[in-house]
Amino acid sequence: MRESKAVIIGVAGTMPTADELALYREHLPWGFILFARSLKEENQIKDLIAALRDSVSNPDAPVFIDQEGGRVQRLRPPLAPDYPSAQVIGDIYRRDRKAGLEAARLMSRLHAVDLKKYGFTADCLPVLDVPVEGASNVIGNRAYGNDPKTVTELGRAAAEGLMQGGMLPVMKHMPGHGRGFADSHHNLPIVDVSRAELEAHDFAPFKALNDLPIAMTGHLVFTAIDPERPATTSPIVIDQIIRSYIGFDGLLMSDDSSMNALSGDLAERTRAIVSGGCDMVLHCNGVMEEMQAVLANTPILRGKALKRAERALACLD
């Protein structure tokens, strides 16, 4: 098998075009991510995933999806049932802890059933962000609650449900997006509180679940740690907080490199993500010119990043 590039890439439509296939064959992305625009009916989805894997000569190339429930759910009826948001699960937990934990585990177990039949490898869940009052609705009801204990316990149950069903979980948005007062799809959130407060509130669920195989970064600046760069591109945040304080040694993928919280063009963003310490660059929108820039500036997956990727996939064995 040829070497892969350290990137998870999208596709524009329901089947890859000849130009997309040529791009994938040339650059060999490690994995793919699919959105609702590409998911229309069962056989089409299976054929799409098979074509993507064939283009990189890897029948096991990982394929990711955001299937949280609530407003972030790429597969909708009749492809998969509509599921409740994390907040609804949290409401159950607040009434009855045991029932809430089982609801979180069971919903993820059902996600795994839905996703495996199409050929997906990983679900970008659980959301471990702990929102504070006044924060942007970009997280909102995607969070299990507003306290670290609730988020930690339900996040663990959700991750276990996915893994019990043979699906890799991806916890997000490390080291915490709950204080983002801007939507990082459009603007760069600035978090201006002490490290001690961050450790007690925002970082706590990620530290408790640091044994999970994959995590996704958040595009936001923590001024107490690195006032110049968002977490995704900050070697200080990634080394001192994610790798050292949180203790996460799994595969670290960026959030979407096309989000406007990041500065520069796609080539500059890609280089910044890699130099910051992420193992994997994520690009989602399927825009050809952007994919070309990302793939041209992504390195071959080697060293610790390769070992982390292999270890993550081994969790499915």
Side-chain angles (χ1 to χ4, degrees), residues 83-136:
Y83 289 99
S85 68
Q87 184 180 71
V88 172
I89 302 297
D91 289 341
I92 297 171
Y93 172 92
R94 283 178 279 278
R95 293 193 299 269
D96 182 330
R97 176 177 174 273
K98 184 177 179 181
L101 292 172
E102 181 58 15
R105 186 201 66 80
L106 179 59
M107 193 169 88
S108 284
R109 186 68 180 81
L110 292 170
H111 283 323
V113 171
D114 295 337
L115 298 174
K116 277 188 70 68
K117 73 178 182 181
Y118 297 110
F120 288 98
T121 311
D123 187 5
C124 298
L125 182 75
V127 175
L128 298 185
D129 305 312
V130 190
V132 298
E133 186 175 353
S136 166

Side-chain angles (χ1 to χ4, degrees), residues 7-312:
V7 64
I8 298 164
I9 205 79
V11 62
T14 56
M15 284 298 287
T17 65
D19 287 343
E20 286 173 332
L21 290 173
L23 185 69
Y24 304 149
R25 289 187 186 111
E26 177 184 0
H27 290 283
L28 298 176
W30 179 75
F32 299 91
I33 187 166
L34 298 181
F35 286 77
R37 64 178 180 268
S38 300
L39 308 171
K40 301 305 179 185
E41 64 92 17
E42 181 172 351
N43 288 334
Q44 171 267 319
I45 297 169
K46 291 177 179 178
D47 289 345
L48 168 60
I49 289 175
L52 293 172
R53 287 174 168 152
D54 182 67
S55 73
V56 294
S57 302
N58 181 2
D60 300 313
V63 181
F64 292 69
I65 190 170
D66 291 300
Q67 190 77 351
E68 297 175 11
R71 59 189 162 98
V72 178
Q73 183 174 322
R74 311 308 182 194
L75 288 171
R76 295 283 182 181
L79 298 172
D82 276 329
Y83 289 99
S85 68
Q87 184 180 71
V88 172
I89 302 297
D91 289 341
I92 297 171
Y93 172 92
R94 283 178 279 278
R95 293 193 299 269
D96 182 330
R97 176 177 174 273
K98 184 177 179 181
L101 292 172
E102 181 58 15
R105 186 201 66 80
L106 179 59
M107 193 169 88
S108 284
R109 186 68 180 81
L110 292 170
H111 283 323
V113 171
D114 295 337
L115 298 174
K116 277 188 70 68
K117 73 178 182 181
Y118 297 110
F120 288 98
T121 311
D123 187 5
C124 298
L125 182 75
V127 175
L128 298 185
D129 305 312
V130 190
V132 298
E133 186 175 353
S136 166
N137 193 47
V138 68
I139 301 299
N141 65 4
R142 298 168 65 193
Y144 294 110
N146 297 94
D147 66 282
K149 180 176 183 290
T150 296
V151 172
T152 297
E153 290 200 346
L154 292 175
R156 172 68 72 184
E160 288 175 351
L162 286 172
M163 296 187 76
Q164 287 166 4
M167 189 66 44
L168 285 174
V170 180
M171 56 178 166
K172 57 189 184 186
H173 304 83
M174 192 179 275
H177 209 302
R179 293 182 193 270
F181 283 79
D183 182 345
S184 53
H185 291 87
H186 307 294
N187 298 288
L188 178 61
I190 307 295
V191 176
D192 192 18
V193 299
S194 70
R195 173 166 172 167
E197 192 169 352
L198 292 167
E199 290 179 0
H201 187 272
D202 305 64
F203 301 166
F206 295 98
K207 189 174 178 67
L209 274 66
N210 66 8
D211 57 316
L212 293 185
I214 309 178
M216 179 187 292
T217 64
H219 299 333
L220 64 172
V221 168
F222 297 95
T223 60
I225 300 159
D226 185 347
E228 304 296 329
R229 292 164 291 198
T232 298
T233 60
S234 170
I236 298 172
V237 173
I238 290 176
D239 180 54
Q240 294 183 13
I241 303 301
I242 292 176
R243 296 302 187 191
S244 297
Y245 174 74
I246 289 174
F248 178 68
D249 192 35
L251 183 71
L252 185 66
M253 56 190 279
S254 75
D255 203 348
D256 185 7
S257 56
S258 67
M259 291 164 63
N260 288 327
L262 300 181
S263 61
D265 60 27
L266 265 295
E268 293 167 328
R269 294 179 188 185
T270 301
R271 291 193 293 269
I273 289 168
V274 173
S275 63
C278 284
D279 298 315
M280 198 72 59
V281 180
L282 176 66
H283 185 267
C284 298
N285 65 21
V287 174
M288 176 58 72
E289 294 78 9
E290 292 189 10
M291 292 196 296
Q292 289 170 329
V294 169
L295 287 163
N297 287 277
T298 304
I300 296 294
L301 186 60
R302 293 194 175 104
K304 288 184 179 180
L306 176 60
K307 291 179 181 177
R308 290 171 180 144
E310 291 174 339
R311 195 164 65 232

